Amino acid sequence: MSDPISRLDQFRADSPGAPMSSAAEVRRRGDQIRRRTRAVVTAGAAAVAAAVAGPVIFLSTGIGDQGIDPAQSDSISAAESGAAYSAAPSALTRANLPTEDDLVADDPYPAWVQEQTYDGEGTDPYNECLTESLGDSGAATTFRRDFVARPGAEMADAAGTLNAVVGEFDSAGEAEKVSIDLSDAAILCSGVDGAELAGTLPVEGDVISSGSIDVVTYQPDEPDKNAVWEVATAVVAAEDRVLVMTRKRGVQDYVSPTTLQTSAVNAAYRLVGVAPPGAPSTDPSVDPTPTGSPTEGRLGDANLVAAGELPALDRFESALGWNRYTPTPDVPTLACQKEWLSTLGATAKVAADYRWDTDRAMVGQVHVAVLEFSDVNAAGAAYNEVMEWMEVCPANKLGVDPDVTALPRDVSADLDAGPKRAARSQATYPGSDGNDSIWFETELVAEYDTRLVLVGYGELAGPCPPSTGDKEDPCYQPDQPDSWPGRILAIEKAAVTAGISDLR
C-alpha cells in the first residue's frame, strides 16, 4: 500500500473531483497517459521506505561564480525568511528561493541546510537531465541555492544533494510552457546513458499552474558500486516564474523514489511571495483536510475505529498488534485513488492509519477515512467518483501499477446497519524486499445518507494470496489457518460501525 508510490500520488491524484477540469489538470492527465507508455517501473509506492545499509556515496556539489559562504548564507536566510511571505515582490529576488524551512527531509535522513546561494544559475550543471537552463529558456532573472544534509548527522552522507533554481519570465504563459518542456526533458533524461523512469508525480497548489516531479535512475560509471544514481526533478510554474528543484543521491534499487512533494509546494508559495494556506500541510500528497479531529463539529475521533477493534493478523507475530499512527504523505486511503479525497467536496473528514509490524517489517496496513457531505446528492456523487477510481485503478504515480484482480462487487448484505450502497474491489502490487512478496489490498466504499466510509486493507503475502482457509485452494497453507476473507469483513465492519456511530 504505501506507496504515489505515495501510492497516494499514484493512487490519489489522477482525475478531477470537480465537473470541469482546469487547464493544468487536463495537461497533467494527458502527460500521465503519455508517460505511462514509456515508463519503466523500477520502484513501488507500496514499499515501506528502507534505509540504505552501508550507503554508497559518490555525490559532490559544485560552487558557482558568485557562491556565498555558508556562514553568510545563514544571515541572509534569516532576513529572507521573514520577508518572503509578505506582499509579492515586483521582481524576482533571492527572497524567492526556498529556505531550509520549506524543505522536508525524508526519514531517515537529517534536515537540509543551505550550502551556497548564487546570483544566476552557477557555472556547474545542476541537473544532468535538463538540456536547457532557465536562462537558456528565456528567463530574465535567475537565482540558485544549494542544500546538503546537516553535516555530521547520522545518514547525512547518504542523503545526497538538493538544489533549487528559480527564474522569472515575460508572462505566465511562457513560464508554464517552459515548465512543461523542462518536465518532458526530465522524463527523457537524454543527457544520461541508460536512464530509466522510476516514477512521476503531479504537483498542485493554489498558486501552481503547472507542476510535476519526475524521477530517473541510472548506473554509475563505477561498476563495483552497489547503488544506482537517482535524480529527482521537480518543475513548477507559478505566475510568471518557474522553480526547478533537483535532488541527487545514490540508492539501492529497493528504496522508494524521492518525491519532493512538500518541498516543491512550499517552495512554490515562496516563489511568488505569498504565505501557504493555513492547513497543516500544503503538500498535495497530503490531503489538506485535517485528519483525526473534528471539522465543523460533525466528525471526530469517535468515528475512527480503535486499533484494538481490528482483528489480529495471527500468522505474523507482533509485540504491538495493530498500532495507530498519523497518515503519512505518500499513503492514500485506497490504493486505487485517482485524486485526493479533498477534491470530493466533503464538508468534514477524519482519517487514520494502522499498521501491523513484526520485528522485521510491516506486514499489514489499514487506512480509514470518514467523509461528511452537505447533502445526500453530494454524497452520492462522491460515491460514484470513488467507484470510478476503484474500477479503473490507473494508479501509476510513483511507479506502481496495481493489478485489479476483482472489480467492485456489492457487499451491502455483509455489513451491519444497512448502507445505502457499498462496493469492494481488490488490487495487488509488489512488495519492497526484492523477492516474491506482494501486497494484497481490499478496498471498500460505503454510503450512508450524507456520509462515506472508505477502508483500504493491505496484507503482505505472495506469490500466493494470504490463506483463504480452503484446503482445496492451491495456495492453502496448513500453518496459516486464519481466514483472509473473514478478516477483511471484520475490519470493514469495525471501521464502518465507528464511522456511522453518531448516525444510528
Side-chain angles (χ1 to χ4, degrees), residues 298 371-373 375-376 379 383 411-412 414-422 444-453 492-493 495-497 499-500 503-504:
R298 179 65 170 168
L371 290 78
E372 179 72 24
F373 294 85
D375 55 47
V376 294
Y383 177 91
V411 294
S412 298
D414 296 331
L415 292 172
D416 295 332
K420 179 179 179 181
R421 290 185 294 177
L444 175 81
V445 54
E447 179 186 1
Y448 298 79
D449 297 326
T450 59
R451 188 168 299 177
L452 295 188
V453 179
E492 292 172 346
K493 284 185 174 182
V496 168
T497 299
I500 63 170
L503 296 183
R504 292 181 166 181

PDB file of all heavy atoms in Angstrom, residues 298 371-373 375-376 379 383 411-412 414-422 444-453 492-493 495-497 499-500 503-504:
ATOM      1  N   ARG A 298     -18.757  18.087  13.130  1.00  0.00           N
ATOM      2  CA  ARG A 298     -19.615  16.994  12.701  1.00  0.00           C
ATOM      3  C   ARG A 298     -18.976  15.630  12.928  1.00  0.00           C
ATOM      4  O   ARG A 298     -19.643  14.684  13.332  1.00  0.00           O
ATOM      5  CB  ARG A 298     -19.945  17.165  11.221  1.00  0.00           C
ATOM      6  CG  ARG A 298     -20.818  16.078  10.623  1.00  0.00           C
ATOM      7  CD  ARG A 298     -22.204  16.080  11.236  1.00  0.00           C
ATOM      8  NE  ARG A 298     -23.101  15.201  10.510  1.00  0.00           N
ATOM      9  CZ  ARG A 298     -24.285  14.834  10.928  1.00  0.00           C
ATOM     10  NH1 ARG A 298     -24.727  15.298  12.081  1.00  0.00           N
ATOM     11  NH2 ARG A 298     -25.041  14.029  10.225  1.00  0.00           N
ATOM     12  N   LEU A 371     -16.027  10.612   5.595  1.00  0.00           N
ATOM     13  CA  LEU A 371     -16.300  11.907   4.983  1.00  0.00           C
ATOM     14  C   LEU A 371     -17.767  12.268   5.134  1.00  0.00           C
ATOM     15  O   LEU A 371     -18.650  11.432   4.884  1.00  0.00           O
ATOM     16  CB  LEU A 371     -15.938  11.898   3.488  1.00  0.00           C
ATOM     17  CG  LEU A 371     -14.467  11.835   3.108  1.00  0.00           C
ATOM     18  CD1 LEU A 371     -13.939  10.397   3.247  1.00  0.00           C
ATOM     19  CD2 LEU A 371     -14.259  12.294   1.664  1.00  0.00           C
ATOM     20  N   GLU A 372     -18.032  13.504   5.524  1.00  0.00           N
ATOM     21  CA  GLU A 372     -19.384  14.039   5.648  1.00  0.00           C
ATOM     22  C   GLU A 372     -19.614  15.047   4.530  1.00  0.00           C
ATOM     23  O   GLU A 372     -18.742  15.877   4.233  1.00  0.00           O
ATOM     24  CB  GLU A 372     -19.570  14.706   7.010  1.00  0.00           C
ATOM     25  CG  GLU A 372     -20.938  15.328   7.230  1.00  0.00           C
ATOM     26  CD  GLU A 372     -22.019  14.287   7.432  1.00  0.00           C
ATOM     27  OE1 GLU A 372     -21.704  13.146   7.844  1.00  0.00           O
ATOM     28  OE2 GLU A 372     -23.192  14.614   7.173  1.00  0.00           O
ATOM     29  N   PHE A 373     -20.825  14.999   3.907  1.00  0.00           N
ATOM     30  CA  PHE A 373     -21.149  15.892   2.797  1.00  0.00           C
ATOM     31  C   PHE A 373     -22.359  16.760   3.140  1.00  0.00           C
ATOM     32  O   PHE A 373     -23.099  16.475   4.090  1.00  0.00           O
ATOM     33  CB  PHE A 373     -21.413  15.077   1.526  1.00  0.00           C
ATOM     34  CG  PHE A 373     -20.183  14.371   1.022  1.00  0.00           C
ATOM     35  CD1 PHE A 373     -19.818  13.130   1.535  1.00  0.00           C
ATOM     36  CD2 PHE A 373     -19.367  14.957   0.069  1.00  0.00           C
ATOM     37  CE1 PHE A 373     -18.666  12.488   1.095  1.00  0.00           C
ATOM     38  CE2 PHE A 373     -18.214  14.321  -0.378  1.00  0.00           C
ATOM     39  CZ  PHE A 373     -17.867  13.082   0.139  1.00  0.00           C
ATOM     40  N   ASP A 375     -25.180  17.238   1.565  1.00  0.00           N
ATOM     41  CA  ASP A 375     -26.480  16.607   1.359  1.00  0.00           C
ATOM     42  C   ASP A 375     -26.279  15.246   0.702  1.00  0.00           C
ATOM     43  O   ASP A 375     -25.152  14.867   0.344  1.00  0.00           O
ATOM     44  CB  ASP A 375     -27.410  17.497   0.511  1.00  0.00           C
ATOM     45  CG  ASP A 375     -26.787  17.901  -0.813  1.00  0.00           C
ATOM     46  OD1 ASP A 375     -26.221  17.028  -1.519  1.00  0.00           O
ATOM     47  OD2 ASP A 375     -26.851  19.101  -1.159  1.00  0.00           O
ATOM     48  N   VAL A 376     -27.388  14.521   0.538  1.00  0.00           N
ATOM     49  CA  VAL A 376     -27.296  13.159   0.003  1.00  0.00           C
ATOM     50  C   VAL A 376     -26.845  13.159  -1.453  1.00  0.00           C
ATOM     51  O   VAL A 376     -26.200  12.208  -1.912  1.00  0.00           O
ATOM     52  CB  VAL A 376     -28.639  12.427   0.158  1.00  0.00           C
ATOM     53  CG1 VAL A 376     -28.960  12.196   1.620  1.00  0.00           C
ATOM     54  CG2 VAL A 376     -29.760  13.197  -0.524  1.00  0.00           C
ATOM     55  N   ALA A 379     -23.096  13.410  -1.455  1.00  0.00           N
ATOM     56  CA  ALA A 379     -22.522  12.133  -1.030  1.00  0.00           C
ATOM     57  C   ALA A 379     -22.636  11.101  -2.138  1.00  0.00           C
ATOM     58  O   ALA A 379     -21.699  10.324  -2.393  1.00  0.00           O
ATOM     59  CB  ALA A 379     -23.218  11.638   0.238  1.00  0.00           C
ATOM     60  N   TYR A 383     -19.633   9.107  -4.027  1.00  0.00           N
ATOM     61  CA  TYR A 383     -19.597   7.647  -4.092  1.00  0.00           C
ATOM     62  C   TYR A 383     -19.341   7.189  -5.526  1.00  0.00           C
ATOM     63  O   TYR A 383     -18.523   6.297  -5.778  1.00  0.00           O
ATOM     64  CB  TYR A 383     -20.915   7.078  -3.580  1.00  0.00           C
ATOM     65  CG  TYR A 383     -21.014   5.568  -3.661  1.00  0.00           C
ATOM     66  CD1 TYR A 383     -20.623   4.780  -2.597  1.00  0.00           C
ATOM     67  CD2 TYR A 383     -21.489   4.943  -4.810  1.00  0.00           C
ATOM     68  CE1 TYR A 383     -20.704   3.389  -2.656  1.00  0.00           C
ATOM     69  CE2 TYR A 383     -21.582   3.559  -4.894  1.00  0.00           C
ATOM     70  CZ  TYR A 383     -21.180   2.786  -3.819  1.00  0.00           C
ATOM     71  OH  TYR A 383     -21.254   1.425  -3.896  1.00  0.00           O
ATOM     72  N   VAL A 411     -21.476  -5.390  -1.423  1.00  0.00           N
ATOM     73  CA  VAL A 411     -21.291  -6.098  -0.150  1.00  0.00           C
ATOM     74  C   VAL A 411     -22.269  -5.597   0.900  1.00  0.00           C
ATOM     75  O   VAL A 411     -22.051  -5.755   2.087  1.00  0.00           O
ATOM     76  CB  VAL A 411     -19.841  -5.939   0.363  1.00  0.00           C
ATOM     77  CG1 VAL A 411     -18.874  -6.620  -0.551  1.00  0.00           C
ATOM     78  CG2 VAL A 411     -19.494  -4.471   0.548  1.00  0.00           C
ATOM     79  N   SER A 412     -23.361  -4.984   0.461  1.00  0.00           N
ATOM     80  CA  SER A 412     -24.313  -4.407   1.408  1.00  0.00           C
ATOM     81  C   SER A 412     -24.825  -5.437   2.403  1.00  0.00           C
ATOM     82  O   SER A 412     -24.989  -5.159   3.591  1.00  0.00           O
ATOM     83  CB  SER A 412     -25.491  -3.792   0.655  1.00  0.00           C
ATOM     84  OG  SER A 412     -25.062  -2.745  -0.184  1.00  0.00           O
ATOM     85  N   ASP A 414     -23.391  -7.849   3.676  1.00  0.00           N
ATOM     86  CA  ASP A 414     -22.382  -8.290   4.634  1.00  0.00           C
ATOM     87  C   ASP A 414     -22.087  -7.256   5.704  1.00  0.00           C
ATOM     88  O   ASP A 414     -21.290  -7.514   6.607  1.00  0.00           O
ATOM     89  CB  ASP A 414     -21.067  -8.611   3.900  1.00  0.00           C
ATOM     90  CG  ASP A 414     -21.227  -9.781   2.944  1.00  0.00           C
ATOM     91  OD1 ASP A 414     -22.072 -10.642   3.231  1.00  0.00           O
ATOM     92  OD2 ASP A 414     -20.520  -9.812   1.936  1.00  0.00           O
ATOM     93  N   LEU A 415     -22.666  -6.080   5.602  1.00  0.00           N
ATOM     94  CA  LEU A 415     -22.343  -5.001   6.529  1.00  0.00           C
ATOM     95  C   LEU A 415     -23.512  -4.690   7.447  1.00  0.00           C
ATOM     96  O   LEU A 415     -24.674  -4.696   7.020  1.00  0.00           O
ATOM     97  CB  LEU A 415     -21.953  -3.739   5.758  1.00  0.00           C
ATOM     98  CG  LEU A 415     -20.632  -3.825   5.003  1.00  0.00           C
ATOM     99  CD1 LEU A 415     -20.457  -2.606   4.127  1.00  0.00           C
ATOM    100  CD2 LEU A 415     -19.473  -3.932   5.975  1.00  0.00           C
ATOM    101  N   ASP A 416     -23.185  -4.415   8.693  1.00  0.00           N
ATOM    102  CA  ASP A 416     -24.226  -4.018   9.643  1.00  0.00           C
ATOM    103  C   ASP A 416     -24.757  -2.631   9.295  1.00  0.00           C
ATOM    104  O   ASP A 416     -24.101  -1.837   8.642  1.00  0.00           O
ATOM    105  CB  ASP A 416     -23.650  -3.980  11.064  1.00  0.00           C
ATOM    106  CG  ASP A 416     -23.235  -5.363  11.526  1.00  0.00           C
ATOM    107  OD1 ASP A 416     -23.837  -6.339  11.056  1.00  0.00           O
ATOM    108  OD2 ASP A 416     -22.301  -5.445  12.338  1.00  0.00           O
ATOM    109  N   ALA A 417     -25.925  -2.339   9.752  1.00  0.00           N
ATOM    110  CA  ALA A 417     -26.553  -1.012   9.675  1.00  0.00           C
ATOM    111  C   ALA A 417     -27.048  -0.647   8.292  1.00  0.00           C
ATOM    112  O   ALA A 417     -27.523   0.448   8.081  1.00  0.00           O
ATOM    113  CB  ALA A 417     -25.591   0.064  10.159  1.00  0.00           C
ATOM    114  N   GLY A 418     -26.965  -1.557   7.332  1.00  0.00           N
ATOM    115  CA  GLY A 418     -27.597  -1.344   6.038  1.00  0.00           C
ATOM    116  C   GLY A 418     -27.180  -0.110   5.295  1.00  0.00           C
ATOM    117  O   GLY A 418     -27.909   0.877   5.271  1.00  0.00           O
ATOM    118  N   PRO A 419     -26.003  -0.089   4.669  1.00  0.00           N
ATOM    119  CA  PRO A 419     -25.619   1.092   3.887  1.00  0.00           C
ATOM    120  C   PRO A 419     -26.519   1.256   2.678  1.00  0.00           C
ATOM    121  O   PRO A 419     -27.080   0.289   2.158  1.00  0.00           O
ATOM    122  CB  PRO A 419     -24.184   0.750   3.455  1.00  0.00           C
ATOM    123  CG  PRO A 419     -24.146  -0.743   3.421  1.00  0.00           C
ATOM    124  CD  PRO A 419     -25.015  -1.181   4.559  1.00  0.00           C
ATOM    125  N   LYS A 420     -26.644   2.474   2.232  1.00  0.00           N
ATOM    126  CA  LYS A 420     -27.407   2.721   1.015  1.00  0.00           C
ATOM    127  C   LYS A 420     -26.750   2.022  -0.162  1.00  0.00           C
ATOM    128  O   LYS A 420     -27.412   1.388  -0.986  1.00  0.00           O
ATOM    129  CB  LYS A 420     -27.490   4.229   0.768  1.00  0.00           C
ATOM    130  CG  LYS A 420     -28.257   4.613  -0.488  1.00  0.00           C
ATOM    131  CD  LYS A 420     -28.303   6.120  -0.635  1.00  0.00           C
ATOM    132  CE  LYS A 420     -29.054   6.522  -1.898  1.00  0.00           C
ATOM    133  NZ  LYS A 420     -29.072   8.005  -2.047  1.00  0.00           N
ATOM    134  N   ARG A 421     -25.436   2.154  -0.247  1.00  0.00           N
ATOM    135  CA  ARG A 421     -24.662   1.454  -1.276  1.00  0.00           C
ATOM    136  C   ARG A 421     -23.291   1.118  -0.703  1.00  0.00           C
ATOM    137  O   ARG A 421     -22.767   1.851   0.139  1.00  0.00           O
ATOM    138  CB  ARG A 421     -24.475   2.322  -2.525  1.00  0.00           C
ATOM    139  CG  ARG A 421     -25.725   2.540  -3.332  1.00  0.00           C
ATOM    140  CD  ARG A 421     -25.420   3.293  -4.611  1.00  0.00           C
ATOM    141  NE  ARG A 421     -24.980   4.655  -4.377  1.00  0.00           N
ATOM    142  CZ  ARG A 421     -24.607   5.498  -5.338  1.00  0.00           C
ATOM    143  NH1 ARG A 421     -24.572   5.082  -6.601  1.00  0.00           N
ATOM    144  NH2 ARG A 421     -24.242   6.736  -5.054  1.00  0.00           N
ATOM    145  N   ALA A 422     -22.720   0.025  -1.151  1.00  0.00           N
ATOM    146  CA  ALA A 422     -21.368  -0.337  -0.737  1.00  0.00           C
ATOM    147  C   ALA A 422     -20.751  -1.202  -1.826  1.00  0.00           C
ATOM    148  O   ALA A 422     -21.452  -1.948  -2.518  1.00  0.00           O
ATOM    149  CB  ALA A 422     -21.363  -1.077   0.595  1.00  0.00           C
ATOM    150  N   LEU A 444     -12.862  -0.722   0.199  1.00  0.00           N
ATOM    151  CA  LEU A 444     -14.308  -0.623   0.414  1.00  0.00           C
ATOM    152  C   LEU A 444     -14.740   0.821   0.398  1.00  0.00           C
ATOM    153  O   LEU A 444     -14.070   1.691   0.969  1.00  0.00           O
ATOM    154  CB  LEU A 444     -14.680  -1.241   1.766  1.00  0.00           C
ATOM    155  CG  LEU A 444     -16.168  -1.091   2.157  1.00  0.00           C
ATOM    156  CD1 LEU A 444     -17.003  -2.146   1.457  1.00  0.00           C
ATOM    157  CD2 LEU A 444     -16.351  -1.185   3.672  1.00  0.00           C
ATOM    158  N   VAL A 445     -15.884   1.099  -0.246  1.00  0.00           N
ATOM    159  CA  VAL A 445     -16.548   2.391  -0.129  1.00  0.00           C
ATOM    160  C   VAL A 445     -17.994   2.108   0.234  1.00  0.00           C
ATOM    161  O   VAL A 445     -18.655   1.276  -0.395  1.00  0.00           O
ATOM    162  CB  VAL A 445     -16.453   3.221  -1.429  1.00  0.00           C
ATOM    163  CG1 VAL A 445     -16.962   2.454  -2.635  1.00  0.00           C
ATOM    164  CG2 VAL A 445     -17.220   4.539  -1.272  1.00  0.00           C
ATOM    165  N   ALA A 446     -18.498   2.740   1.287  1.00  0.00           N
ATOM    166  CA  ALA A 446     -19.872   2.544   1.734  1.00  0.00           C
ATOM    167  C   ALA A 446     -20.529   3.903   1.921  1.00  0.00           C
ATOM    168  O   ALA A 446     -19.933   4.829   2.474  1.00  0.00           O
ATOM    169  CB  ALA A 446     -19.894   1.751   3.045  1.00  0.00           C
ATOM    170  N   GLU A 447     -21.758   4.025   1.471  1.00  0.00           N
ATOM    171  CA  GLU A 447     -22.505   5.290   1.535  1.00  0.00           C
ATOM    172  C   GLU A 447     -23.662   5.166   2.523  1.00  0.00           C
ATOM    173  O   GLU A 447     -24.461   4.228   2.444  1.00  0.00           O
ATOM    174  CB  GLU A 447     -23.053   5.645   0.146  1.00  0.00           C
ATOM    175  CG  GLU A 447     -23.870   6.928   0.113  1.00  0.00           C
ATOM    176  CD  GLU A 447     -24.504   7.175  -1.243  1.00  0.00           C
ATOM    177  OE1 GLU A 447     -24.325   6.340  -2.143  1.00  0.00           O
ATOM    178  OE2 GLU A 447     -25.194   8.200  -1.390  1.00  0.00           O
ATOM    179  N   TYR A 448     -23.727   6.112   3.462  1.00  0.00           N
ATOM    180  CA  TYR A 448     -24.802   6.160   4.448  1.00  0.00           C
ATOM    181  C   TYR A 448     -25.326   7.589   4.490  1.00  0.00           C
ATOM    182  O   TYR A 448     -24.645   8.479   5.006  1.00  0.00           O
ATOM    183  CB  TYR A 448     -24.299   5.784   5.841  1.00  0.00           C
ATOM    184  CG  TYR A 448     -23.765   4.386   5.966  1.00  0.00           C
ATOM    185  CD1 TYR A 448     -22.485   4.086   5.529  1.00  0.00           C
ATOM    186  CD2 TYR A 448     -24.531   3.368   6.518  1.00  0.00           C
ATOM    187  CE1 TYR A 448     -21.976   2.807   5.650  1.00  0.00           C
ATOM    188  CE2 TYR A 448     -24.032   2.089   6.650  1.00  0.00           C
ATOM    189  CZ  TYR A 448     -22.756   1.810   6.215  1.00  0.00           C
ATOM    190  OH  TYR A 448     -22.258   0.548   6.334  1.00  0.00           O
ATOM    191  N   ASP A 449     -26.493   7.820   3.946  1.00  0.00           N
ATOM    192  CA  ASP A 449     -27.071   9.163   3.947  1.00  0.00           C
ATOM    193  C   ASP A 449     -26.058  10.180   3.383  1.00  0.00           C
ATOM    194  O   ASP A 449     -25.719  10.104   2.226  1.00  0.00           O
ATOM    195  CB  ASP A 449     -27.523   9.550   5.355  1.00  0.00           C
ATOM    196  CG  ASP A 449     -28.627   8.629   5.867  1.00  0.00           C
ATOM    197  OD1 ASP A 449     -29.435   8.182   5.037  1.00  0.00           O
ATOM    198  OD2 ASP A 449     -28.670   8.363   7.081  1.00  0.00           O
ATOM    199  N   THR A 450     -25.589  11.083   4.227  1.00  0.00           N
ATOM    200  CA  THR A 450     -24.661  12.124   3.752  1.00  0.00           C
ATOM    201  C   THR A 450     -23.203  11.767   4.024  1.00  0.00           C
ATOM    202  O   THR A 450     -22.335  12.634   3.999  1.00  0.00           O
ATOM    203  CB  THR A 450     -24.980  13.458   4.452  1.00  0.00           C
ATOM    204  OG1 THR A 450     -24.847  13.286   5.871  1.00  0.00           O
ATOM    205  CG2 THR A 450     -26.382  13.929   4.115  1.00  0.00           C
ATOM    206  N   ARG A 451     -22.908  10.492   4.253  1.00  0.00           N
ATOM    207  CA  ARG A 451     -21.571  10.113   4.694  1.00  0.00           C
ATOM    208  C   ARG A 451     -21.009   8.959   3.858  1.00  0.00           C
ATOM    209  O   ARG A 451     -21.736   8.051   3.454  1.00  0.00           O
ATOM    210  CB  ARG A 451     -21.609   9.716   6.166  1.00  0.00           C
ATOM    211  CG  ARG A 451     -20.251   9.475   6.793  1.00  0.00           C
ATOM    212  CD  ARG A 451     -20.382   9.387   8.306  1.00  0.00           C
ATOM    213  NE  ARG A 451     -20.900  10.640   8.860  1.00  0.00           N
ATOM    214  CZ  ARG A 451     -21.169  10.839  10.143  1.00  0.00           C
ATOM    215  NH1 ARG A 451     -20.992   9.853  11.009  1.00  0.00           N
ATOM    216  NH2 ARG A 451     -21.623  12.000  10.555  1.00  0.00           N
ATOM    217  N   LEU A 452     -19.706   9.020   3.640  1.00  0.00           N
ATOM    218  CA  LEU A 452     -18.975   7.914   3.030  1.00  0.00           C
ATOM    219  C   LEU A 452     -17.945   7.391   4.025  1.00  0.00           C
ATOM    220  O   LEU A 452     -17.314   8.171   4.741  1.00  0.00           O
ATOM    221  CB  LEU A 452     -18.225   8.344   1.757  1.00  0.00           C
ATOM    222  CG  LEU A 452     -19.015   8.802   0.537  1.00  0.00           C
ATOM    223  CD1 LEU A 452     -18.074   8.979  -0.649  1.00  0.00           C
ATOM    224  CD2 LEU A 452     -20.131   7.836   0.194  1.00  0.00           C
ATOM    225  N   VAL A 453     -17.791   6.068   4.053  1.00  0.00           N
ATOM    226  CA  VAL A 453     -16.723   5.427   4.818  1.00  0.00           C
ATOM    227  C   VAL A 453     -15.847   4.669   3.822  1.00  0.00           C
ATOM    228  O   VAL A 453     -16.353   3.843   3.063  1.00  0.00           O
ATOM    229  CB  VAL A 453     -17.277   4.456   5.877  1.00  0.00           C
ATOM    230  CG1 VAL A 453     -16.130   3.795   6.635  1.00  0.00           C
ATOM    231  CG2 VAL A 453     -18.206   5.196   6.846  1.00  0.00           C
ATOM    232  N   GLU A 492     -13.689  -4.295   7.847  1.00  0.00           N
ATOM    233  CA  GLU A 492     -14.661  -3.385   7.238  1.00  0.00           C
ATOM    234  C   GLU A 492     -15.797  -3.068   8.209  1.00  0.00           C
ATOM    235  O   GLU A 492     -16.210  -1.912   8.355  1.00  0.00           O
ATOM    236  CB  GLU A 492     -15.212  -4.017   5.959  1.00  0.00           C
ATOM    237  CG  GLU A 492     -14.185  -4.133   4.838  1.00  0.00           C
ATOM    238  CD  GLU A 492     -14.695  -4.919   3.656  1.00  0.00           C
ATOM    239  OE1 GLU A 492     -15.733  -5.606   3.796  1.00  0.00           O
ATOM    240  OE2 GLU A 492     -14.053  -4.864   2.601  1.00  0.00           O
ATOM    241  N   LYS A 493     -16.309  -4.088   8.864  1.00  0.00           N
ATOM    242  CA  LYS A 493     -17.423  -3.869   9.793  1.00  0.00           C
ATOM    243  C   LYS A 493     -17.017  -2.964  10.949  1.00  0.00           C
ATOM    244  O   LYS A 493     -17.765  -2.068  11.343  1.00  0.00           O
ATOM    245  CB  LYS A 493     -17.928  -5.206  10.328  1.00  0.00           C
ATOM    246  CG  LYS A 493     -18.775  -5.996   9.344  1.00  0.00           C
ATOM    247  CD  LYS A 493     -19.336  -7.240  10.018  1.00  0.00           C
ATOM    248  CE  LYS A 493     -20.296  -7.985   9.110  1.00  0.00           C
ATOM    249  NZ  LYS A 493     -20.879  -9.170   9.766  1.00  0.00           N
ATOM    250  N   ALA A 495     -14.647  -0.695  11.043  1.00  0.00           N
ATOM    251  CA  ALA A 495     -14.425   0.676  10.575  1.00  0.00           C
ATOM    252  C   ALA A 495     -15.738   1.375  10.262  1.00  0.00           C
ATOM    253  O   ALA A 495     -15.927   2.554  10.599  1.00  0.00           O
ATOM    254  CB  ALA A 495     -13.525   0.660   9.344  1.00  0.00           C
ATOM    255  N   VAL A 496     -16.669   0.656   9.627  1.00  0.00           N
ATOM    256  CA  VAL A 496     -17.949   1.262   9.273  1.00  0.00           C
ATOM    257  C   VAL A 496     -18.779   1.530  10.519  1.00  0.00           C
ATOM    258  O   VAL A 496     -19.422   2.584  10.649  1.00  0.00           O
ATOM    259  CB  VAL A 496     -18.711   0.349   8.289  1.00  0.00           C
ATOM    260  CG1 VAL A 496     -20.155   0.820   8.139  1.00  0.00           C
ATOM    261  CG2 VAL A 496     -18.017   0.349   6.929  1.00  0.00           C
ATOM    262  N   THR A 497     -18.777   0.603  11.467  1.00  0.00           N
ATOM    263  CA  THR A 497     -19.548   0.788  12.701  1.00  0.00           C
ATOM    264  C   THR A 497     -19.131   2.066  13.427  1.00  0.00           C
ATOM    265  O   THR A 497     -19.971   2.849  13.887  1.00  0.00           O
ATOM    266  CB  THR A 497     -19.369  -0.422  13.626  1.00  0.00           C
ATOM    267  OG1 THR A 497     -19.850  -1.597  12.962  1.00  0.00           O
ATOM    268  CG2 THR A 497     -20.131  -0.225  14.923  1.00  0.00           C
ATOM    269  N   GLY A 499     -17.548   4.588  11.977  1.00  0.00           N
ATOM    270  CA  GLY A 499     -17.721   5.714  11.084  1.00  0.00           C
ATOM    271  C   GLY A 499     -19.134   6.297  11.103  1.00  0.00           C
ATOM    272  O   GLY A 499     -19.318   7.489  10.878  1.00  0.00           O
ATOM    273  N   ILE A 500     -20.126   5.453  11.381  1.00  0.00           N
ATOM    274  CA  ILE A 500     -21.507   5.937  11.367  1.00  0.00           C
ATOM    275  C   ILE A 500     -22.124   5.883  12.764  1.00  0.00           C
ATOM    276  O   ILE A 500     -23.353   5.947  12.909  1.00  0.00           O
ATOM    277  CB  ILE A 500     -22.365   5.110  10.383  1.00  0.00           C
ATOM    278  CG1 ILE A 500     -22.431   3.648  10.844  1.00  0.00           C
ATOM    279  CG2 ILE A 500     -21.825   5.219   8.983  1.00  0.00           C
ATOM    280  CD1 ILE A 500     -23.456   2.817  10.078  1.00  0.00           C
ATOM    281  N   LEU A 503     -24.784   8.313  13.623  1.00  0.00           N
ATOM    282  CA  LEU A 503     -25.954   8.377  12.753  1.00  0.00           C
ATOM    283  C   LEU A 503     -27.041   7.404  13.190  1.00  0.00           C
ATOM    284  O   LEU A 503     -28.163   7.459  12.692  1.00  0.00           O
ATOM    285  CB  LEU A 503     -25.561   8.053  11.305  1.00  0.00           C
ATOM    286  CG  LEU A 503     -24.596   9.012  10.616  1.00  0.00           C
ATOM    287  CD1 LEU A 503     -24.387   8.588   9.181  1.00  0.00           C
ATOM    288  CD2 LEU A 503     -25.118  10.448  10.675  1.00  0.00           C
ATOM    289  N   ARG A 504     -26.705   6.490  14.075  1.00  0.00           N
ATOM    290  CA  ARG A 504     -27.666   5.462  14.473  1.00  0.00           C
ATOM    291  C   ARG A 504     -28.690   6.005  15.460  1.00  0.00           C
ATOM    292  O   ARG A 504     -28.389   6.877  16.248  1.00  0.00           O
ATOM    293  CB  ARG A 504     -26.925   4.278  15.093  1.00  0.00           C
ATOM    294  CG  ARG A 504     -26.077   3.530  14.057  1.00  0.00           C
ATOM    295  CD  ARG A 504     -25.384   2.352  14.697  1.00  0.00           C
ATOM    296  NE  ARG A 504     -24.865   1.467  13.688  1.00  0.00           N
ATOM    297  CZ  ARG A 504     -24.218   0.332  13.961  1.00  0.00           C
ATOM    298  NH1 ARG A 504     -24.059  -0.030  15.216  1.00  0.00           N
ATOM    299  NH2 ARG A 504     -23.774  -0.425  13.003  1.00  0.00           N
TER     300      ARG A 504
END
